[in-house]
Structure formats: structure tokens, C-alpha cells
């Protein structure tokens, strides 16, 4: 099977190891990976800020890059995947030609954990893991894409690791894209509460499917001086491949 | 309460609220309790079906609002009520003041009403020499504290029992206690005298029924019943979108409103009040006035924000909102706080005033999930942010940054240059840039994922 | 649902919201239940409008016509609603609906045949020409305005006894 990977700007710019883990993981399951040239950002930051002109530019560009390709588009980020699947068709609701293209792209798009469970059945593969792992259910992934069970199935399936539920797992961590920049004090207060719940589980690793949230949580963990590891789910799963 | 039209300083308010540990504790305790109670209460319902039906019905009313308002007025008048239409807050305040002045009334008892807060009724009546006594315990607490409500259902949610105890000891001269039962007893005794001597009562309304001309009130303490049945004069003030078609529609909302608000199956008291006292009856005000507030709603319901007016003011979105949970209602500096409050403030008070409030959401979507009538709050919040950008009301620095983003996002080469620049200049950006967020992000890498993959 | 099931549901839901429901089967039980419920009050108001209200025996030294100063109000509800355990009072029969709100103890009688199963059943019976005042009373008066701590008996009664007859 051949898929097209959208790396996301955050992973591309700040967390390339997560991109590499995603690639290792997919290849391990026999997936051939295309990485279309020219990809940039899905436009989510502009979209949530209300800059629709700029988010449309991003969407048009994304569509033009992936329109030339075939097969499933895999995105290792809940918020970017929701942007493509839910918001792109909405952005072009008054432009029939673009809307159709957007719908087609949306139909091909899968968030990574969704694809790993539903298509590759990775949760049945018996990968191994270590330590005590808990999971933060990021907002757009959970509420807009309706993906809640899949990441947990994957984590629960890891041999040698213990999965623990995070209280209020689906409560916002305070990242919120530009929210983090515009109301930093509130953002930090929310991240601090998230860290409280993480520490209450006794987990040594917290994971999730969105690097935006994980970045915000990692910062709060650092402020707390805690040794809890904050890792994207692709990285957690890929650890078991060695 | 600030009546000005200048922009609300949400960030400054929020920072102040975050450092108030009593507030943080009270908010955490209250919103947590509410969330659990609500979840338990709705679990027994065919919730999705009921939400859908209620949403459709509310939308149907909004689509035909002027006919429903006419119908309500006709039937209320037929039942003996006097109906007044108020174009805006000023008109509503004026109508209420004149009714009271015409009767020579200088003191009124009042049950909780968010619309009366919206029109700043108490301050105005005070100015013209009429004393308003709030009789809902929470409202009474904040009235003697000289504050506005911080929650649309539980106005004094931000205070803990020690603060209420100190307040009562200081303002009412009673002995200090932090036992809610004792404090409630103190207020009960004072307010009972007020009820029995009152010549007029003011209330809001949770719903107005077009086919019968009734107003419907949900209360737990009994103060709503007292304000509307003991004094000879009753004035109800409500906004026009509160209408439902018929009493047969009421059960749906009885099932949704208290469960969403406090997790109760039904409130202790539910009053359906239809006109003034008729011959042979021993209950009901001799004179009933209904003030219907428009305040821009007739126009707003025909536009892109229509669905906001499906809202039945349960407060569930406040309790679910991560931002509200940590900063409390006063930080919003507006009549209505939380997610519904941001939208309503922008619509009723204008974008200039609400522009910073629009930052007060992470767009996490929790508000939309709990709304019993499916107000698409996240979509409305995003839409308002779009309008804010179109009106040029975002900071210049942000506009420039977004314009820059727009230029590079479709040019991969420039985008990559930006990434390199980010890596190279990171120490400088951290030092001189909008450091708050930047300081919490890792440095862009020297070799991006794209380069490593190739 | 048959009548007995509706009554049972009403009793169950009334008990859940801190009302004290009592089921009586005949006149003797009715008077025993009343005697017990009224025993503690020093002044009792009863409007005496319905057959059941007229049958209530109140010692003359305890009886008062001023409901605002009474410690107990005993009256008969128009209806009950099983779904919520609510009592319904209305101004229809000339009843002072507010009388049940002022004393500390409200003793309400409801006839088993007047209990509706659902809210819809009741409101469709009302139609769209209701009397001036309809009040659904569900449990005693309550507030949670201080730290969400439940406090019973704010402005209204702290105790609600419901006699189903």
C-alpha cells in the first residue's frame, strides 16, 4: 500500500524525530510512503485566528500539492487532520469547483492513529513498550474527528507497558493555537492543571496525537521540574520496533 | 458593573483572577460538581434526540420570531397582562421605572433575571430613587457585596463560604459563621420581611408561551414564586427570543434546562404565570406587566448569528469551558460570561467592546458538546474572530504576522527560508519577540523533517 | 402504566427529591397520617376548598386563616406528576397557591386518580388557556448558592409531606 504523508509544519520545523518515527512505523507495516514536494502548513493557525484569507491560501496550496497524488493522506496530528477533513470543505462552500476538490481531499485524509487501527490493525500486532503510559485526548481529534478509542487501543496493546487512564483526558490543555500566544497566563494555568492530572496517574510517559498540545504540556512539565516524558504517539509506538 | 463601550481588558482581568486562590478553588469545586451532576442527569435521557428536537423548535421560533412575538403579546393581553415592547435597554429601564413611579413605589423585591442585568436595571432604578432588593440568595450575596453575577445560574459561584460569612458579618451585623445553613437562615429572615411588605415584584422569565401568553419561571428557593405572587404588582422583563410556541412544548425544556444547569430533574418550583388575577382567584398579581426587550435581537435573528438565540441560558457551556473554569465570570467584564457570553457580548455590545473577549476561547469544542439546544458555539466563536479580522480589530503585529504567513504558505521555498530563519534567529526572537509563547516553544531544528526524509 | 404503577413511580420520585411521600388506603389511614403530620405544628392553615380539605380535622386553637403566619399549610394539589414527583397547584379553584410556600412545613394531599404519568400528559390536559397561576412544586425549597452546598428551606418550606390518597 502507498500513502501520502503530510508532515505538518510543527513536526517538520520542531519535531522531526516524530516524523521519522511515523515513517519507521508505517514502513514496518509494509506501507510505502510518498512525501509530496512543496507541502507547507495546513492553515490551522490562520483559520482559528479568523484569518480566512490566509487559511484559504493555505488550503488551496495544500489541495494543489495533494491533488496530484493518489492514495490515503496520512496526518500525524488531530488538529491538522480535522482542518483538512472538516474545515476545508467549509472554507470553499461558495466555490463549487474548489469545494468538490476539498471534499475529495477530505475523503482521502486519515489522522495517523485512525489509520493505524482501522487500516493497518497495528493494535493487533503485539508491539512492545515500556513503563507506565497515559494519554491526553486532544480537542479537535476527540470532538471534531470523533477519534477517542483508537489511540487508547494502540497504547493498551503494547506488551510490557502499562496504560493508565488520565482523569479528564479530553479537557483542553490550554494550547489552542494562537490562544497560547494571546493569553499565555491562562494557557499556562490550564497546562499546569493538565500536568497535575498527569502526575496524579503516576505515569512516566504522557502521549497524544497532537504536537501543539504536547509542546504546551512539555513546557508545563519542564516548569514543574518533572521527569515525565512527553512523546507523540508515533514515537511511543515506534520505540517498540527496535 | 462597567457600562462603557471601550474594549474589555480580558487578559488583565484574567491575570488578576488567576492569582486569586479562593476564586480558583471555588471555581474548580463548583464547575467540577456541576459537570458531574449534569452528566449523571442527562444519562437517563434520550439526549441526542431531545437536543435535536429542542434545537429545531427553537430555530423554528427564531425563523418566525415577529409572528410569535405578536401572538404572545395578543394572548398575554387577553389574559390581562399589560405588554410593553422595549427597543433597547434604555427603553426597558424607562418603562419599568415609570410603572413603579406611577404606583408611587420606592422599594421592590426582585428574583434573578439575566435580562435585568443586561439592561443594568438595578443601577438605573437606584438612580431614580427606587431600591431593589435581590431575593435569590446568590444575587443577594453579590448585591450586598456590590458585585455583578459571575455565573448566569449561580451568581456567587466565585465566593467560598468563608467569604460569604465575612460579608454577612460585616454588612448585616450578624455573628460570623461559615455554615451555609446558618447563612441561608440569616438571609431568609431578612428577605421574608421584604416579601411580605413589598408592593411590587420584578422577575425575569425562562420561557414565554405564545399560545397561552404565559411566562414560565424555574426557581429552587421559592423567591421567584414569592416575587410574582405576593405583591399586588408584578413586572416581568424578558427578551423576545425566550418564546416557545405552546405549553405542550414545555416538557421538552423542563427535561433539558434544569438537568443542563444544575443536574436536577426539575427545579423545586416551576411557575406558569398567565396574566393578572381574575375574578374568583386568590393568587396572582392584580396588575401584571410584561416588558419585552429587543435590544437588536429582531435584526440579529435574521443574520449569520441566528443560532445563538436558541440559547436557553442553562450555563452548561460555562461549566464546561476550560477558560471560564480557571478565571471565573468577572474576568469577562460583561453581563454574560463564558462561551455564550463572549458571543452575546459581541452581538449585543459590539465588536469593539468584545474584541479581546474573542481571545478567551481555545476553540476546544466542549461548550458545543454540552449545549442542550445545539448552539454551535465553536463555529460562532470562529465566525466572530473572522469578523474581527475583517474589521481590522486585531493587533497590528498579529496582522503582519498573518499576512506574512499568507505569503509564504503557498511558496514552499520561502516557507523553508522561514524555517531556517527561525532556527538562526531564534535566540533573538526569544529575546525581542512576543516572548510569552515563543519562550515556551522549542527552537526550530537546523535540519527539518523534509530534509531528513529526502 | 396502570394506576398503581403510576402512583408507585410518583412516590419513588417524590422521595428522591427529599419530599416525604405517604400512601394511605382509607379514611382512617388518611386521618392518622394527617394527625401525625400536623402534630408538630403550632398553627395550621387549610383553605378548605375541596372535599378532602374539608374533611381535615384541625383543633380550633391551632387553626389559622393567616397563611403567612402559619407554621403548617395543609392543602390538596390539583394533580401530581409521576415522572418528576411533582405536585401541581393552581389558582383555578380560587386557591391561594402561595399559601403552601410560606410555612416551614407543607403537607400536600394528592388524589391517586389525579396523578399523571408524564409532564406531557399534564400539560396537554391544561391546554392553552391556563389559570393565572400554575405551580409545580417538587420537593422542599432549596438552594446551593453557597459553595454548591445543598441547603433545604430557603424562602419556601423546609419540609414537604405528600399524602397520596
Amino acid at each position: 500500500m502507498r500513502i501520502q504523508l503530510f508532515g505538518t509544519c510543527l513536526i517538520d520545523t520542531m519535531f522531526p524525530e516524530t516524523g521519522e518515527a511515523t515513517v519507521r512505523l508505517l514502513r514496518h507495516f509494509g506501507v510505502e510512503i510518498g512525501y509530496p514536494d512543496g507541502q507547507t502548513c495546513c492553515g490551522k493557525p490562520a483559520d482559528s485566528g479568523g484569518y480566512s484569507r490566509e487559511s484559504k491560501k493555505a488550503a488551496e496550496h495544500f489541495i494543489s500539492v495533494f491533488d496530484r497524488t493518489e492514495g490515503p493522506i496520512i496526518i500525524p496530528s488531530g488538529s491538522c487532520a480535522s482542518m483538512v477533513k472538516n474545515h476545508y470543505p467549509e472554507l470553499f462552500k461558495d466555490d463549487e469547483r474548489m469545494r468538490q476538490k476539498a471534499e475529495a481531499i477530505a475523503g482521502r485524509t486519515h489522522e495517523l492513529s485512525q489509520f493505524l487501527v482501522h487500516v493497518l490493525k497495528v493494535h493487533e500486532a503485539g508491539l512492545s513498550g515500556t513503563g507506565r503510559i497515559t494519554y491526553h485526548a486532544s480537542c479537535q481529534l476527540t470532538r471534531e474527528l470523533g477519534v477517542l478509542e483508537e489511540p487508547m487501543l494502540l497504547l493498551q496493546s503494547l506488551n510490557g507497558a502499562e496504560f493508565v487512564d488520565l482523569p479528564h483526558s479530553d479537557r483542553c490543555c490550554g494550547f489552542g493555537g494562537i490562544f497560547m500566544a494571546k493569553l499565555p497566563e491562562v494557557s499556562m494555568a490550564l497546562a499546569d492543571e493538565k500536568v497535575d492530572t498527569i502526575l496524579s496517574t503516576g505515569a512516566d510517559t504522557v502521549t497524544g496525537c497532537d504536537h501543539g498540545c504536547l509542546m504546551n504540556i512539555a513546557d508545563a512539565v519542564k516548569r514543574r521540574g518533572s521527569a515525565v516524558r512527553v512523546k507523540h504517539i508515533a514515537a511511543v509506538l515506534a520505540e517498540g520496533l527496535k | 458593573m462597567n457600562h462603557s463601550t471601550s474594549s474589555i481588558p480580558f487578559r488583565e482581568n484574567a491575570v488578576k483572577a488567576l492569582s486569586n486562590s479562593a476564586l480558583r478553588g471555588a471555581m474548580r469545586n463548583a464547575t467540577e460538581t456541576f459537570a458531574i451532576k449534569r452528566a449523571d442527569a442527562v444519562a437517563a435521557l434520550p439526549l441526542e434526540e431531545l437536543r435535536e428536537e429542542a434545537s429545531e423548535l427553537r430555530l423554528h421560533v427564531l425563523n418566525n420570531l415577529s409572528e410569535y412575538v405578536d401572538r404572545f403579546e395578543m394572548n398575554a393581553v387577553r389574559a390581562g397582562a399589560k405588554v410593553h415592547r422595549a427597543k433597547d435597554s434604555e427603553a426597558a429601564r424607562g418603562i419599568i421605572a415609570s410603572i413603579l413611579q406611577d404606583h408611587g413605589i420606592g422599594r421592590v423585591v426582585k428574583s434573578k433575571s439575566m435580562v435585568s442585568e443586561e439592561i443594568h436595571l438595578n443601577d438605573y432604578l437606584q438612580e431614580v430613587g427606587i431600591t431593589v432588593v435581590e431575593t435569590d440568595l446568590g444575587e443577594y450575596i453579590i448585591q450586598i457585596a456590590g458585585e455583578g453575577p459571575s455565573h448566569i445560574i449561580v451568581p456567587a459561584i466565585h465566593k467560598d463560604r468563608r467569604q460569604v460569612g465575612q460579608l454577612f458579618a460585616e454588612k448585616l451585623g450578624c455573628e460570623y459563621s461559615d455554615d451555609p445553613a446558618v447563612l441561608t437562615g440569616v438571609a431568609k429572615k431578612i428577605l421574608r420581611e421584604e416579601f411580605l411588605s413589598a408592593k411590587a415584584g420584578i422577575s425575569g422569565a425562562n420561557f414565554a408561551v405564545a399560545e397561552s401568553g404565559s411566562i414560565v419561571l424555574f426557581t429552587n428557593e421559592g423567591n421567584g414564586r414569592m416575587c410574582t405572587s405576593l405583591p399586588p404588582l408584578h413586572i416581568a422583563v424578558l427578551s423576545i427570543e425566550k418564546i416557545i410556541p405552546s405549553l405542550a412544548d414545555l416538557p421538552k425544556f423542563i427535561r433539558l434546562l434544569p438537568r443542563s444547569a444544575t443536574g436536577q430533574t426539575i427545579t423545586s418550583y416551576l411557575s406558569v404565570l398567565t396574566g393578572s388575577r381574575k375574578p374568583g382567584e386568590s393568587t396572582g398579581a392584580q396588575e401584571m406587566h410584561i416588558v419585552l426587550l429587543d435590544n437588536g435581537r429582531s435584526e440579529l435573528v435574521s443574520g449569520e448569528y441566528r443560532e445563538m438565540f436558541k440559547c436557553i441560558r442553562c450555563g452548561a457551556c460555562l461549566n464546561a469551558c476550560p477558560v471560564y473554569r480557571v478565571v471565573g465570570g468577572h474576568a469577562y467584564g460583561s453581563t454574560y460570561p463564558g462561551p455564550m457570553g463572549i458571543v452575546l457580548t459581541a452581538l449585543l455590545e459590539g465588536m469593539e467592546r468584545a474584541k479581546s473577549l474573542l481571545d478567551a476561547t481555545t476553540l476546544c469544542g466542549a461548550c458545543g458538546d454540552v449545549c442542550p439546544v445545539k448552539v454551535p458555539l465553536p463555529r460562532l466563536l470562529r465566525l466572530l474572530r473572522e469578523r474581527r479580522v475583517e474589521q481590522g480589530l486585531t493587533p497590528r503585529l498579529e496582522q503582519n504576522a498573518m499576512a506574512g504567513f499568507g505569503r509564504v504558505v503557498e511558496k514552499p521555498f520561502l516557507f523553508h527560508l522561514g524555517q531556517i530563519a527561525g532556527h538562526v534567529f531564534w535566540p533573538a526572537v526569544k529575546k525581542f519577540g512576543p516572548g510569552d509563547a515563543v519562550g515556551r516553544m522549542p527552537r526550530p531544528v537546523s535540519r527539518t523533517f523534509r530534509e531528513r526524509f529526502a | 402504566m396502570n394506576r398503581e404503577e403510576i402512583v408507585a413511580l410518583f412516590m419513588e420520585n417524590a422521595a428522591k427529591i427529599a419530599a416525604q411521600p405517604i400512601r394511605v388506603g382509607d379514611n382512617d389511614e388518611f386521618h392518622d397520617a394527617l394527625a401525625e403530620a400536623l402534630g408538630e405544628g403550632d398553627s395550621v392553615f387549610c383553605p378548605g376548598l375541596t372535599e378532602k380539605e374539608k374533611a381535615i380535622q384541625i383543633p380550633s386553637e391551632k387553626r389559622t386563616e393567616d397563611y403567612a403566619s402559619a407554621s403548617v399549610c395543609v392543602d390538596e394539589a390539583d394533580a401530581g406528576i409521576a415522572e418528576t414527583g411533582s405536585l401541581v397547584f393552581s389558582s383555578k379553584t380560587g386557591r391561594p397557591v402561595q399559601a403552601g410556600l410560606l410555612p416551614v412545613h407543607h403537607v400536600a394531599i394528592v388524589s391517586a386518580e389525579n396523578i399523571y404519568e408524564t409532564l406531557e400528559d399534564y400539560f396537554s390536559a391544561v391546554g392553552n388557556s391556563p389559570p393565572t397561576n400554575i405551580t409545580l412544586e417538587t420537593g422542599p425549597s432549596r438552594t446551593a448558592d453557597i459553595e454548591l452546598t445543598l441547603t433545604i428551606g430557603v424562602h419556601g418550606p423546609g419540609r414537604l409531606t405528600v399524602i397520596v390518597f
Side-chain angles (χ1 to χ4, degrees), chain B residues 342-409:
Chain B
I342 299 174
V343 178
L344 278 179
T345 306
L347 299 183
L348 301 174
E349 299 185 38
M351 190 66 89
E352 179 64 39
R353 177 139 174 81
K355 64 185 179 190
S356 79
L357 282 188
L358 285 172
D359 293 330
T361 167
T362 64
L363 296 179
C364 77
C367 50
D369 276 8
V370 296
C371 179
V373 290
K374 294 182 133 179
V375 174
L377 285 161
R379 186 166 65 71
L380 294 172
L381 289 163
R382 218 176 66 238
L383 184 62
L384 281 163
R385 281 189 176 174
E386 260 179 53
R387 299 294 170 261
R388 177 176 66 166
V389 169
E390 284 162 16
Q391 293 171 29
L393 292 173
T394 50
R396 177 66 59 189
L397 185 70
E398 180 184 313
Q399 290 179 21
N400 292 341
M402 284 296 176
F405 173 82
R407 274 194 295 278
V408 303
V409 76

Side-chain angles (χ1 to χ4, degrees), chain B residues 155-361:
Chain B
I157 196 172
H158 57 287
K159 289 200 184 296
D160 64 25
R161 61 182 73 197
R162 282 166 293 279
Q163 291 173 314
V164 177
Q166 277 152 12
L167 180 72
F168 274 28
E170 185 188 318
K171 303 273 180 171
L172 304 175
C174 59
E175 207 174 307
Y176 171 84
S177 166
D178 60 10
D179 179 350
V182 172
L183 296 168
T184 301
V186 170
K188 173 180 181 163
K189 196 152 173 280
I190 295 170
L191 292 171
R192 176 59 65 100
E193 294 306 311
E194 296 284 355
F195 282 124
L196 293 176
S197 61
K199 299 281 180 292
I202 297 177
S203 76
N206 295 92
F207 297 102
V209 184
E211 283 306 323
S212 63
S214 320
I215 64 158
V216 183
L217 280 173
F218 291 69
T219 72
N220 276 315
E221 300 177 4
N223 63 312
R225 269 181 81 183
M226 294 207 180
C227 285
T228 58
S229 65
L230 294 178
L233 172 68
H234 170 208
I235 304 171
V237 53
L238 56 137
S239 52
I240 53 173
E241 85 278 19
K242 296 275 177 84
I243 295 178
I244 58 171
S246 126
L247 278 176
D249 301 311
L250 188 56
K252 264 193 227 354
F253 295 100
I254 297 177
R255 291 203 185 97
L256 285 172
L257 178 58
R259 281 184 172 89
S260 303
T262 56
Q264 289 172 278
T265 309
I266 187 170
T267 48
S268 297
Y269 304 109
L270 189 153
S271 305
V272 180
L273 307 173
T274 312
S276 53
R277 186 182 294 203
K278 289 151 199 80
E281 289 183 330
S282 315
T283 290
Q286 269 91 11
E287 204 175 317
M288 187 206 200
H289 293 260
I290 298 173
V291 180
L292 289 174
L293 176 72
D294 190 311
N295 227 6
R297 287 165 170 86
S298 303
E299 210 167 303
L300 286 162
V301 294
S302 62
E304 59 189 349
Y305 304 110
R306 168 181 310 166
E307 291 201 69
M308 184 62 233
F309 295 94
K310 294 194 296 190
C311 174
I312 56 171
R313 310 283 191 269
C314 68
C317 63
L318 278 57
N319 305 326
C321 176
V323 179
Y324 179 85
R325 289 184 66 253
V326 294
V327 302
H330 287 156
Y332 294 77
S334 54
T335 302
Y336 303 98
M340 57 80 81
I342 299 174
V343 178
L344 278 179
T345 306
L347 299 183
L348 301 174
E349 299 185 38
M351 190 66 89
E352 179 64 39
R353 177 139 174 81
K355 64 185 179 190
S356 79
L357 282 188
L358 285 172
D359 293 330
T361 167

Side-chain angles (χ1 to χ4, degrees), chain A residues 22 25-26 73-78 81 109-123 135-138 141-142 145-155 207-210 232-234 237:
Chain A
T22 306
L25 189 64
L26 290 170
I73 300 165
I74 305 303
I75 305 184
S77 155
T109 299
H110 307 257
E111 182 276 328
L112 178 67
S113 73
Q114 233 178 348
F115 184 73
L116 294 178
V117 169
H118 297 300
V119 181
L120 300 182
K121 314 273 183 214
V122 168
H123 59 298
Y135 169 70
H136 164 66
S138 50
L141 179 74
T142 312
L145 291 177
V147 176
L148 179 62
E149 294 299 321
E150 290 86 341
M152 296 205 271
L153 274 177
L154 290 165
L155 296 166
T207 185
C209 301
D210 275 90
H232 191 276
I233 193 165
L237 296 172

Side-chain angles (χ1 to χ4, degrees), chain A residues 1-131:
Chain A
M1 182 190 314
R2 185 175 170 81
I3 63 103
Q4 305 298 332
L5 182 64
F6 175 62
T8 83
C9 58
L10 219 49
I11 288 176
D12 190 31
T13 313
M14 290 172 177
F15 306 99
E17 321 76 48
T18 298
E20 290 172 325
T22 306
V23 167
R24 268 209 315 283
L25 189 64
L26 290 170
R27 284 187 178 150
H28 178 83
F29 288 93
V31 174
E32 216 182 296
I33 300 170
Y35 194 81
D37 271 347
Q39 56 178 281
T40 56
C41 167
C42 69
K44 179 81 190 167
D47 188 69
S48 59
Y51 291 82
S52 54
R53 200 178 50 201
E54 284 76 15
S55 62
K56 259 188 189 161
K57 278 189 188 174
E60 278 163 5
H61 179 71
F62 184 102
I63 292 169
S64 77
V65 166
F66 283 89
D67 219 13
R68 298 190 291 262
T69 67
E70 277 180 1
I73 300 165
I74 305 303
I75 305 184
S77 155
S79 59
C80 309
S82 173
M83 177 72 191
V84 175
K85 283 184 87 66
N86 298 323
H87 297 211
Y88 278 11
E90 174 86 358
L91 275 176
F92 299 109
K93 62 179 188 295
D94 300 324
D95 177 346
E96 188 50 25
R97 194 186 62 91
M98 276 307 290
R99 194 190 59 78
Q100 278 183 12
K101 283 191 171 195
E103 295 276 10
I105 292 284
R108 289 168 54 198
T109 299
H110 307 257
E111 182 276 328
L112 178 67
S113 73
Q114 233 178 348
F115 184 73
L116 294 178
V117 169
H118 297 300
V119 181
L120 300 182
K121 314 273 183 214
V122 168
H123 59 298
E124 292 169 6
L127 295 183
S128 57
T130 52

Side-chain angles (χ1 to χ4, degrees), chain C:
Chain C
M1 269 194 190
N2 65 34
R3 183 60 32 202
E4 275 316 302
E5 287 167 339
I6 292 174
V7 171
L9 182 64
F10 173 80
M11 301 272 295
E12 185 190 326
N13 284 328
K16 267 188 207 159
I17 37 82
Q20 297 162 306
I22 305 163
R23 180 80 206 266
V24 297
D26 58 34
N27 267 318
D28 288 347
E29 283 179 26
F30 177 55
H31 288 291
D32 288 349
L34 275 171
E36 194 178 329
L38 303 180
E40 292 161 34
D42 10 293
S43 57
V44 179
F45 171 79
C46 176
L49 295 166
T50 67
E51 289 309 312
K52 284 188 176 120
E53 285 174 358
K54 284 177 185 152
I56 299 170
Q57 293 143 7
I58 302 165
S60 59
E61 72 277 9
K62 280 195 173 187
R63 182 182 276 279
T64 174
E65 296 307 310
D66 176 20
Y67 55 73
S69 69
S71 56
V72 183
C73 170
V74 53
D75 55 3
E76 184 183 355
D78 291 17
I81 298 170
E83 176 185 351
T84 51
S86 308
L87 298 159
V88 183
F89 292 91
S90 85
S91 54
K92 191 169 66 181
T93 49
R95 170 174 308 285
V97 178
Q98 64 276 19
L101 184 64
L102 293 162
V104 290
H105 185 188
H106 187 192
V107 180
I109 303 155
V110 61
S111 301
E113 64 268 24
N114 292 339
I115 299 177
Y116 293 85
E117 185 183 336
T118 66
L119 290 161
E120 274 86 0
D121 293 344
Y122 172 70
F123 280 102
S124 63
V126 171
N128 274 311
S129 299
T132 304
N133 186 306
I134 294 176
T135 297
L136 272 60
E137 181 177 349
T138 313
S141 158
R142 60 184 65 211
T143 186
D145 273 348
I146 302 174
E147 278 192 19
L148 297 192
T149 306
L150 181 66
T151 306
I152 297 289
V154 196
H155 301 302
R159 194 171 157 207
L160 174 63
T161 304
V162 183
I163 301 175
V164 183
F165 183 24

